[in-house]
Amino acid sequence: MQKEWTDNPSNLVDLFENTIVKHPNRNFLGIKNTEGIYEWITYEEAGKRVDNLRGGLAKTGIKKNDVVGVIVNNSVEWVIIAFATYGLNARFIPMYEKELEKVWKYIIKDSGIKILFVADEEIYEKVKSYLSKINTLKKIYIIRSEGENCMKSLEEIGNEYPIASVKPHFQDIAVLIYTSGTTGEPKGVLLSHENFISN
């Protein structure tokens, strides 16, 4: 989708889209291949994936204040999912692959995650039962996989059904970061778009 410049961006969506307009061909995200050499995607390439996933998430019914979560370590996909979520004015919740299963379950239930992305089949097998145990959780997509319930398939759906990004108010919540829970149950810290933009 065509991006337009926004003066004084007040949310993460405008900030990201401004960068695509200004530096479309600049390297944005890099990962090491098996030979230890970085392979990069540009801002424009990342923006296209964000557009596609945003469309796919919209088709699942995600809208303002809905919650999208991930169980994955730092990765290109983490960023793509986050910005696709912001572009629907929904809330993003990250969790790491090495967390305890009981912590995943608590966070998913406490936050009301509606769509969950997991790194691989191994994690999917551990959390798939949550679909019948947590009534807010509607669908789980696997990031590194092929097939109907993988992230790639959702991006393909979004490519067929594009939707323009929503521009959140600066006080809208962008992310919930949960504490480690070492002194009790994890607690969700609400971070607004302004919290990030001010940095």
Side-chain angles (χ1 to χ4, degrees):
M1 289 189 163
Q2 185 67 36
K3 305 290 188 286
E4 295 182 4
W5 183 265
T6 303
D7 291 327
N8 301 316
S10 63
N11 59 72
L12 290 165
V13 178
D14 279 332
L15 185 68
F16 179 57
E17 293 185 359
N18 272 8
T19 309
I20 296 171
V21 171
K22 189 172 183 179
H23 304 292
N25 299 313
R26 182 173 288 181
N27 288 339
F28 175 38
L29 300 169
I31 56 171
K32 283 185 180 180
N33 62 23
T34 54
E35 297 171 353
I37 299 170
Y38 276 95
E39 295 179 353
W40 293 89
I41 66 170
T42 65
Y43 279 98
E44 189 170 53
E45 290 166 337
K48 176 62 176 170
R49 288 194 65 186
V50 167
D51 287 348
N52 289 344
L53 188 60
R54 183 177 64 246
L57 285 171
K59 289 296 284 183
T60 71
I62 293 294
K63 57 189 183 304
K64 181 177 180 179
N65 293 332
D66 283 339
V67 186
V68 176
V70 297
I71 301 175
V72 67
N73 293 337
N74 295 344
S75 60
V76 169
E77 289 76 19
W78 173 310
V79 177
I80 300 302
I81 296 164
F83 278 98
T85 301
Y86 305 148
L88 293 171
N89 203 1
R91 300 174 176 194
F92 177 71
I93 297 187
M95 294 169 279
Y96 281 106
E97 295 176 37
K98 294 298 182 183
E99 303 223 52
L100 298 174
E101 289 180 46
K102 67 178 183 179
V103 174
W104 293 337
K105 186 175 182 181
Y106 176 83
I107 292 173
I108 292 166
K109 184 174 182 180
D110 183 69
S111 65
I113 286 175
K114 190 172 181 179
I115 300 293
L116 176 67
F117 291 88
V118 299
D120 52 33
E121 297 277 357
E122 182 179 351
I123 294 176
Y124 176 76
E125 289 300 318
K126 294 177 180 177
V127 302
K128 66 181 182 182
S129 65
Y130 299 174
L131 287 165
S132 60
K133 296 176 181 176
I134 301 174
N135 60 11
T136 52
L137 183 62
K138 303 304 180 188
K139 184 77 175 176
I140 301 173
Y141 292 94
I142 306 169
I143 294 169
R144 296 190 289 270
S145 182
E146 300 289 335
E148 185 181 343
N149 67 330
C150 72
M151 180 175 171
K152 182 181 177 183
S153 70
L154 196 58
E155 290 180 67
E156 290 169 352
I157 291 170
N159 187 47
E160 295 295 319
Y161 298 95
I163 182 172
S165 58
V166 175
K167 307 305 171 74
H169 186 272
F170 66 88
Q171 291 180 329
D172 286 337
I173 300 303
V175 177
L176 277 77
I177 298 289
Y178 275 80
T179 64
S180 62
T182 51
T183 58
E185 298 290 6
K187 295 171 180 63
V189 179
L190 300 173
L191 297 174
S192 69
H193 284 265
E194 184 180 33
N195 290 142
F196 289 101
I197 292 295
S198 65
N199 289 318

